[in-house]
mmCIF file of all heavy atoms in Angstrom:
data_model
loop_
_atom_site.group_PDB
_atom_site.id
_atom_site.type_symbol
_atom_site.label_atom_id
_atom_site.label_comp_id
_atom_site.label_asym_id
_atom_site.label_seq_id
_atom_site.Cartn_x
_atom_site.Cartn_y
_atom_site.Cartn_z
ATOM 1 N N ILE A 763 20.417 171.795 -22.405
ATOM 2 C CA ILE A 763 20.559 172.707 -23.499
ATOM 3 C C ILE A 763 19.287 172.683 -24.342
ATOM 4 O O ILE A 763 18.778 171.628 -24.689
ATOM 5 C CB ILE A 763 21.749 172.340 -24.411
ATOM 6 C CG1 ILE A 763 23.057 172.389 -23.607
ATOM 7 C CG2 ILE A 763 21.812 173.241 -25.647
ATOM 8 C CD1 ILE A 763 23.381 173.724 -23.015
ATOM 9 N N VAL A 764 18.741 173.864 -24.664
ATOM 10 C CA VAL A 764 17.569 173.959 -25.521
ATOM 11 C C VAL A 764 17.979 174.609 -26.829
ATOM 12 O O VAL A 764 18.266 175.816 -26.836
ATOM 13 C CB VAL A 764 16.478 174.838 -24.830
ATOM 14 C CG1 VAL A 764 15.221 174.914 -25.683
ATOM 15 C CG2 VAL A 764 16.126 174.281 -23.446
ATOM 16 N N PRO A 765 18.084 173.836 -27.924
ATOM 17 C CA PRO A 765 18.475 174.435 -29.184
ATOM 18 C C PRO A 765 17.439 175.414 -29.714
ATOM 19 O O PRO A 765 16.254 175.180 -29.602
ATOM 20 C CB PRO A 765 18.550 173.228 -30.153
ATOM 21 C CG PRO A 765 18.428 172.009 -29.321
ATOM 22 C CD PRO A 765 17.804 172.432 -28.002
ATOM 23 N N LEU A 766 17.898 176.519 -30.280
ATOM 24 C CA LEU A 766 17.008 177.535 -30.789
ATOM 25 C C LEU A 766 17.137 177.720 -32.307
ATOM 26 O O LEU A 766 16.579 178.672 -32.845
ATOM 27 C CB LEU A 766 17.273 178.894 -30.063
ATOM 28 C CG LEU A 766 17.114 178.860 -28.543
ATOM 29 C CD1 LEU A 766 17.427 180.229 -27.971
ATOM 30 C CD2 LEU A 766 15.673 178.423 -28.196
ATOM 31 N N LEU A 767 17.826 176.812 -32.944
ATOM 32 C CA LEU A 767 17.924 176.821 -34.428
ATOM 33 C C LEU A 767 17.280 175.568 -34.933
ATOM 34 O O LEU A 767 17.454 174.484 -34.407
ATOM 35 C CB LEU A 767 19.388 176.890 -34.862
ATOM 36 C CG LEU A 767 20.120 178.186 -34.579
ATOM 37 C CD1 LEU A 767 21.618 178.084 -34.971
ATOM 38 C CD2 LEU A 767 19.471 179.374 -35.334
ATOM 39 N N LEU A 768 16.585 175.689 -36.057
ATOM 40 C CA LEU A 768 15.832 174.532 -36.615
ATOM 41 C C LEU A 768 16.717 173.372 -37.006
ATOM 42 O O LEU A 768 16.356 172.239 -36.805
ATOM 43 C CB LEU A 768 15.047 175.044 -37.836
ATOM 44 C CG LEU A 768 14.262 174.009 -38.636
ATOM 45 C CD1 LEU A 768 13.213 173.372 -37.767
ATOM 46 C CD2 LEU A 768 13.659 174.667 -39.837
ATOM 47 N N TRP A 769 17.868 173.636 -37.591
ATOM 48 C CA TRP A 769 18.622 172.565 -38.205
ATOM 49 C C TRP A 769 19.683 171.884 -37.381
ATOM 50 O O TRP A 769 20.491 171.138 -37.820
ATOM 51 C CB TRP A 769 19.284 173.092 -39.476
ATOM 52 C CG TRP A 769 20.273 174.215 -39.223
ATOM 53 C CD1 TRP A 769 21.561 174.113 -38.923
ATOM 54 C CD2 TRP A 769 19.945 175.601 -39.263
ATOM 55 N NE1 TRP A 769 22.083 175.329 -38.726
ATOM 56 C CE2 TRP A 769 21.150 176.266 -38.960
ATOM 57 C CE3 TRP A 769 18.806 176.352 -39.521
ATOM 58 C CZ2 TRP A 769 21.220 177.673 -38.885
ATOM 59 C CZ3 TRP A 769 18.893 177.736 -39.458
ATOM 60 C CH2 TRP A 769 20.069 178.358 -39.182
ATOM 61 N N VAL A 770 19.716 172.174 -36.071
ATOM 62 C CA VAL A 770 20.690 171.489 -35.220
ATOM 63 C C VAL A 770 20.021 170.904 -33.981
ATOM 64 O O VAL A 770 18.960 171.343 -33.586
ATOM 65 C CB VAL A 770 21.774 172.498 -34.722
ATOM 66 C CG1 VAL A 770 22.634 172.945 -35.886
ATOM 67 C CG2 VAL A 770 21.225 173.651 -33.954
ATOM 68 N N GLU A 771 20.590 169.878 -33.441
ATOM 69 C CA GLU A 771 20.151 169.288 -32.197
ATOM 70 C C GLU A 771 21.256 169.479 -31.158
ATOM 71 O O GLU A 771 22.467 169.548 -31.513
ATOM 72 C CB GLU A 771 19.914 167.797 -32.376
ATOM 73 C CG GLU A 771 18.730 167.484 -33.309
ATOM 74 C CD GLU A 771 17.401 167.997 -32.708
ATOM 75 O OE1 GLU A 771 17.237 168.015 -31.467
ATOM 76 O OE2 GLU A 771 16.565 168.367 -33.506
ATOM 77 N N ALA A 772 20.915 169.565 -29.898
ATOM 78 C CA ALA A 772 21.888 169.885 -28.857
ATOM 79 C C ALA A 772 23.074 168.898 -28.861
ATOM 80 O O ALA A 772 24.217 169.358 -28.688
ATOM 81 C CB ALA A 772 21.181 169.829 -27.470
ATOM 82 N N GLY A 773 22.882 167.639 -29.058
ATOM 83 C CA GLY A 773 23.965 166.691 -29.050
ATOM 84 C C GLY A 773 24.921 166.739 -30.225
ATOM 85 O O GLY A 773 26.008 166.183 -30.190
ATOM 86 N N THR A 774 24.543 167.392 -31.335
ATOM 87 C CA THR A 774 25.357 167.438 -32.516
ATOM 88 C C THR A 774 25.878 168.791 -32.868
ATOM 89 O O THR A 774 26.501 168.983 -33.887
ATOM 90 C CB THR A 774 24.554 166.904 -33.720
ATOM 91 O OG1 THR A 774 23.435 167.740 -33.925
ATOM 92 C CG2 THR A 774 24.093 165.476 -33.487
ATOM 93 N N MET A 775 25.631 169.788 -32.011
ATOM 94 C CA MET A 775 26.036 171.153 -32.388
ATOM 95 C C MET A 775 27.283 171.610 -31.637
ATOM 96 O O MET A 775 27.607 172.803 -31.603
ATOM 97 C CB MET A 775 24.904 172.139 -32.218
ATOM 98 C CG MET A 775 24.418 172.326 -30.784
ATOM 99 S SD MET A 775 23.024 173.503 -30.813
ATOM 100 C CE MET A 775 22.809 173.731 -29.074
ATOM 101 N N GLY A 776 28.009 170.670 -31.005
ATOM 102 C CA GLY A 776 29.218 171.052 -30.321
ATOM 103 C C GLY A 776 28.987 171.718 -28.980
ATOM 104 O O GLY A 776 29.824 172.448 -28.500
ATOM 105 N N VAL A 777 27.825 171.488 -28.376
ATOM 106 C CA VAL A 777 27.491 172.086 -27.097
ATOM 107 C C VAL A 777 27.107 170.953 -26.114
ATOM 108 O O VAL A 777 26.211 170.168 -26.404
ATOM 109 C CB VAL A 777 26.314 173.082 -27.199
ATOM 110 C CG1 VAL A 777 25.994 173.675 -25.812
ATOM 111 C CG2 VAL A 777 26.666 174.192 -28.178
ATOM 112 N N VAL A 778 27.823 170.866 -25.002
ATOM 113 C CA VAL A 778 27.592 169.783 -24.047
ATOM 114 C C VAL A 778 27.372 170.396 -22.662
ATOM 115 O O VAL A 778 28.145 171.293 -22.286
ATOM 116 C CB VAL A 778 28.797 168.815 -24.028
ATOM 117 C CG1 VAL A 778 28.585 167.721 -22.952
ATOM 118 C CG2 VAL A 778 29.041 168.187 -25.377
ATOM 119 N N ALA A 779 26.386 169.930 -21.957
ATOM 120 C CA ALA A 779 26.119 170.370 -20.621
ATOM 121 C C ALA A 779 26.402 169.273 -19.601
ATOM 122 O O ALA A 779 26.124 168.097 -19.875
ATOM 123 C CB ALA A 779 24.665 170.897 -20.489
ATOM 124 N N ASP A 780 26.944 169.630 -18.426
ATOM 125 C CA ASP A 780 27.181 168.629 -17.399
ATOM 126 C C ASP A 780 27.158 169.336 -16.014
ATOM 127 O O ASP A 780 27.065 170.578 -15.936
ATOM 128 C CB ASP A 780 28.475 167.900 -17.578
ATOM 129 C CG ASP A 780 29.705 168.770 -17.371
ATOM 130 O OD1 ASP A 780 29.984 169.143 -16.231
ATOM 131 O OD2 ASP A 780 30.369 169.146 -18.348
ATOM 132 N N THR A 781 27.148 168.507 -14.989
ATOM 133 C CA THR A 781 27.180 169.034 -13.609
ATOM 134 C C THR A 781 28.325 168.391 -12.854
ATOM 135 O O THR A 781 28.272 168.252 -11.620
ATOM 136 C CB THR A 781 25.857 168.774 -12.877
ATOM 137 O OG1 THR A 781 25.570 167.369 -12.925
ATOM 138 C CG2 THR A 781 24.713 169.542 -13.521
ATOM 139 N N ALA A 782 29.404 168.060 -13.525
ATOM 140 C CA ALA A 782 30.564 167.397 -12.896
ATOM 141 C C ALA A 782 31.194 168.236 -11.784
ATOM 142 O O ALA A 782 31.825 167.679 -10.854
ATOM 143 C CB ALA A 782 31.608 166.990 -13.954
ATOM 144 N N LEU A 783 31.059 169.523 -11.846
ATOM 145 C CA LEU A 783 31.641 170.389 -10.821
ATOM 146 C C LEU A 783 30.685 170.650 -9.661
ATOM 147 O O LEU A 783 31.051 171.364 -8.732
ATOM 148 C CB LEU A 783 31.984 171.769 -11.446
ATOM 149 C CG LEU A 783 32.969 171.743 -12.643
ATOM 150 C CD1 LEU A 783 33.107 173.114 -13.257
ATOM 151 C CD2 LEU A 783 34.320 171.228 -12.175
ATOM 152 N N GLY A 784 29.526 170.070 -9.694
ATOM 153 C CA GLY A 784 28.516 170.292 -8.656
ATOM 154 C C GLY A 784 27.559 171.430 -9.008
ATOM 155 O O GLY A 784 26.618 171.670 -8.268
ATOM 156 N N TYR A 785 27.751 172.037 -10.110
ATOM 157 C CA TYR A 785 26.877 173.071 -10.680
ATOM 158 C C TYR A 785 26.954 173.054 -12.190
ATOM 159 O O TYR A 785 27.860 172.394 -12.762
ATOM 160 C CB TYR A 785 27.295 174.478 -10.124
ATOM 161 C CG TYR A 785 28.746 174.817 -10.315
ATOM 162 C CD1 TYR A 785 29.231 175.315 -11.494
ATOM 163 C CD2 TYR A 785 29.600 174.654 -9.246
ATOM 164 C CE1 TYR A 785 30.531 175.667 -11.672
ATOM 165 C CE2 TYR A 785 30.972 175.014 -9.411
ATOM 166 C CZ TYR A 785 31.409 175.471 -10.592
ATOM 167 O OH TYR A 785 32.734 175.820 -10.726
ATOM 168 N N PRO A 786 25.958 173.630 -12.885
ATOM 169 C CA PRO A 786 25.914 173.529 -14.321
ATOM 170 C C PRO A 786 27.172 174.137 -15.001
ATOM 171 O O PRO A 786 27.641 175.199 -14.661
ATOM 172 C CB PRO A 786 24.665 174.314 -14.700
ATOM 173 C CG PRO A 786 23.788 174.200 -13.479
ATOM 174 C CD PRO A 786 24.780 174.267 -12.340
ATOM 175 N N ARG A 787 27.654 173.338 -15.983
ATOM 176 C CA ARG A 787 28.714 173.821 -16.863
ATOM 177 C C ARG A 787 28.339 173.479 -18.298
ATOM 178 O O ARG A 787 27.811 172.407 -18.575
ATOM 179 C CB ARG A 787 30.011 173.089 -16.519
ATOM 180 C CG ARG A 787 31.147 173.360 -17.493
ATOM 181 C CD ARG A 787 32.447 172.723 -17.069
ATOM 182 N NE ARG A 787 32.298 171.225 -17.021
ATOM 183 C CZ ARG A 787 33.270 170.421 -16.584
ATOM 184 N NH1 ARG A 787 34.405 170.907 -16.158
ATOM 185 N NH2 ARG A 787 33.049 169.137 -16.578
ATOM 186 N N VAL A 788 28.599 174.402 -19.210
ATOM 187 C CA VAL A 788 28.310 174.173 -20.651
ATOM 188 C C VAL A 788 29.616 174.377 -21.384
ATOM 189 O O VAL A 788 30.276 175.426 -21.260
ATOM 190 C CB VAL A 788 27.248 175.197 -21.154
ATOM 191 C CG1 VAL A 788 27.043 175.035 -22.655
ATOM 192 C CG2 VAL A 788 25.951 174.945 -20.407
ATOM 193 N N THR A 789 29.992 173.427 -22.206
ATOM 194 C CA THR A 789 31.193 173.474 -22.988
ATOM 195 C C THR A 789 30.805 173.589 -24.484
ATOM 196 O O THR A 789 30.063 172.786 -24.989
ATOM 197 C CB THR A 789 32.085 172.223 -22.791
ATOM 198 O OG1 THR A 789 32.344 172.098 -21.410
ATOM 199 C CG2 THR A 789 33.396 172.346 -23.576
ATOM 200 N N VAL A 790 31.327 174.632 -25.117
ATOM 201 C CA VAL A 790 31.047 174.899 -26.516
ATOM 202 C C VAL A 790 32.324 174.651 -27.302
ATOM 203 O O VAL A 790 33.358 175.276 -27.049
ATOM 204 C CB VAL A 790 30.579 176.383 -26.741
ATOM 205 C CG1 VAL A 790 30.300 176.642 -28.210
ATOM 206 C CG2 VAL A 790 29.401 176.712 -25.871
ATOM 207 N N SER A 791 32.259 173.718 -28.236
ATOM 208 C CA SER A 791 33.442 173.411 -29.079
ATOM 209 C C SER A 791 33.132 173.825 -30.524
ATOM 210 O O SER A 791 32.066 174.194 -30.852
ATOM 211 C CB SER A 791 33.777 171.906 -28.985
ATOM 212 O OG SER A 791 32.673 171.110 -29.378
ATOM 213 N N VAL A 792 34.170 173.700 -31.336
ATOM 214 C CA VAL A 792 33.994 174.081 -32.786
ATOM 215 C C VAL A 792 32.975 173.123 -33.420
ATOM 216 O O VAL A 792 32.949 171.955 -33.135
ATOM 217 C CB VAL A 792 35.381 173.951 -33.478
ATOM 218 C CG1 VAL A 792 35.275 174.105 -34.987
ATOM 219 C CG2 VAL A 792 36.345 174.941 -32.887
ATOM 220 N N ALA A 793 32.162 173.708 -34.273
ATOM 221 C CA ALA A 793 31.141 172.922 -34.965
ATOM 222 C C ALA A 793 31.026 173.431 -36.402
ATOM 223 O O ALA A 793 31.705 174.371 -36.805
ATOM 224 C CB ALA A 793 29.796 173.071 -34.272
ATOM 225 N N SER A 794 30.125 172.812 -37.186
ATOM 226 C CA SER A 794 30.033 173.174 -38.585
ATOM 227 C C SER A 794 29.023 174.277 -38.852
ATOM 228 O O SER A 794 28.886 174.673 -39.998
ATOM 229 C CB SER A 794 29.622 171.918 -39.365
ATOM 230 O OG SER A 794 28.362 171.464 -38.943
ATOM 231 N N THR A 795 28.389 174.794 -37.817
ATOM 232 C CA THR A 795 27.366 175.818 -38.027
ATOM 233 C C THR A 795 27.262 176.724 -36.799
ATOM 234 O O THR A 795 27.781 176.395 -35.762
ATOM 235 C CB THR A 795 25.962 175.157 -38.317
ATOM 236 O OG1 THR A 795 25.086 176.186 -38.675
ATOM 237 C CG2 THR A 795 25.425 174.405 -37.111
ATOM 238 N N THR A 796 26.604 177.828 -36.971
ATOM 239 C CA THR A 796 26.353 178.736 -35.858
ATOM 240 C C THR A 796 25.443 177.987 -34.861
ATOM 241 O O THR A 796 24.571 177.294 -35.245
ATOM 242 C CB THR A 796 25.642 180.019 -36.348
ATOM 243 O OG1 THR A 796 26.521 180.700 -37.252
ATOM 244 C CG2 THR A 796 25.266 180.896 -35.212
ATOM 245 N N ARG A 797 25.737 178.224 -33.573
ATOM 246 C CA ARG A 797 24.922 177.601 -32.508
ATOM 247 C C ARG A 797 24.176 178.698 -31.756
ATOM 248 O O ARG A 797 24.775 179.653 -31.299
ATOM 249 C CB ARG A 797 25.813 176.826 -31.538
ATOM 250 C CG ARG A 797 26.394 175.548 -32.053
ATOM 251 C CD ARG A 797 27.490 175.721 -33.065
ATOM 252 N NE ARG A 797 28.602 176.581 -32.735
ATOM 253 C CZ ARG A 797 29.582 176.287 -31.963
ATOM 254 N NH1 ARG A 797 29.740 175.123 -31.403
ATOM 255 N NH2 ARG A 797 30.585 177.171 -31.711
ATOM 256 N N ARG A 798 22.875 178.560 -31.621
ATOM 257 C CA ARG A 798 22.069 179.454 -30.771
ATOM 258 C C ARG A 798 21.315 178.542 -29.861
ATOM 259 O O ARG A 798 20.599 177.646 -30.240
ATOM 260 C CB ARG A 798 21.106 180.272 -31.602
ATOM 261 C CG ARG A 798 20.350 181.302 -30.779
ATOM 262 C CD ARG A 798 19.376 182.128 -31.649
ATOM 263 N NE ARG A 798 20.082 182.685 -32.782
ATOM 264 C CZ ARG A 798 19.502 182.814 -33.985
ATOM 265 N NH1 ARG A 798 18.282 182.446 -34.196
ATOM 266 N NH2 ARG A 798 20.183 183.381 -34.982
ATOM 267 N N PHE A 799 21.431 178.798 -28.514
ATOM 268 C CA PHE A 799 20.795 177.876 -27.568
ATOM 269 C C PHE A 799 20.499 178.598 -26.256
ATOM 270 O O PHE A 799 21.087 179.638 -25.935
ATOM 271 C CB PHE A 799 21.718 176.666 -27.281
ATOM 272 C CG PHE A 799 23.090 177.055 -26.761
ATOM 273 C CD1 PHE A 799 23.297 177.150 -25.357
ATOM 274 C CD2 PHE A 799 24.117 177.336 -27.581
ATOM 275 C CE1 PHE A 799 24.541 177.484 -24.897
ATOM 276 C CE2 PHE A 799 25.392 177.690 -27.132
ATOM 277 C CZ PHE A 799 25.571 177.748 -25.729
ATOM 278 N N ALA A 800 19.625 178.000 -25.494
ATOM 279 C CA ALA A 800 19.281 178.464 -24.139
ATOM 280 C C ALA A 800 19.821 177.451 -23.179
ATOM 281 O O ALA A 800 19.915 176.252 -23.481
ATOM 282 C CB ALA A 800 17.789 178.617 -23.945
ATOM 283 N N VAL A 801 20.205 177.891 -21.986
ATOM 284 C CA VAL A 801 20.660 176.994 -20.899
ATOM 285 C C VAL A 801 19.552 176.980 -19.865
ATOM 286 O O VAL A 801 19.224 177.999 -19.284
ATOM 287 C CB VAL A 801 21.960 177.538 -20.276
ATOM 288 C CG1 VAL A 801 22.392 176.630 -19.101
ATOM 289 C CG2 VAL A 801 23.067 177.648 -21.313
ATOM 290 N N GLU A 802 18.950 175.792 -19.672
ATOM 291 C CA GLU A 802 17.880 175.615 -18.717
ATOM 292 C C GLU A 802 18.404 174.912 -17.490
ATOM 293 O O GLU A 802 19.049 173.869 -17.635
ATOM 294 C CB GLU A 802 16.727 174.842 -19.334
ATOM 295 C CG GLU A 802 15.589 174.601 -18.357
ATOM 296 C CD GLU A 802 14.491 173.725 -18.908
ATOM 297 O OE1 GLU A 802 14.617 173.222 -20.039
ATOM 298 O OE2 GLU A 802 13.501 173.520 -18.207
ATOM 299 N N VAL A 803 18.142 175.463 -16.337
ATOM 300 C CA VAL A 803 18.476 174.746 -15.093
ATOM 301 C C VAL A 803 17.213 174.439 -14.345
ATOM 302 O O VAL A 803 16.230 175.178 -14.432
ATOM 303 C CB VAL A 803 19.424 175.558 -14.193
ATOM 304 C CG1 VAL A 803 20.769 175.715 -14.870
ATOM 305 C CG2 VAL A 803 18.866 176.901 -13.820
#
């Protein structure tokens, strides 16, 4: 995950990336601020 907002970091913005399914998956959960991000593979 590449954060695109100044005040958040990928690990704290409620966005988690993994490859548990054998391909990229991104899970977005509720957070305290708007999240803007890019998904890099």
Side-chain angles (χ1 to χ4, degrees):
I763 299 301
V764 181
L766 301 178
L767 291 175
L768 175 62
W769 61 87
V770 295
E771 293 296 328
T774 61
M775 65 181 188
V777 180
V778 177
D780 68 73
T781 55
L783 301 174
Y785 51 83
R787 172 177 61 185
V788 176
T789 304
V790 181
S791 58
V792 173
S794 61
T795 187
T796 297
R797 288 73 49 82
R798 185 180 308 144
F799 60 90
V801 177
E802 178 184 5
V803 295

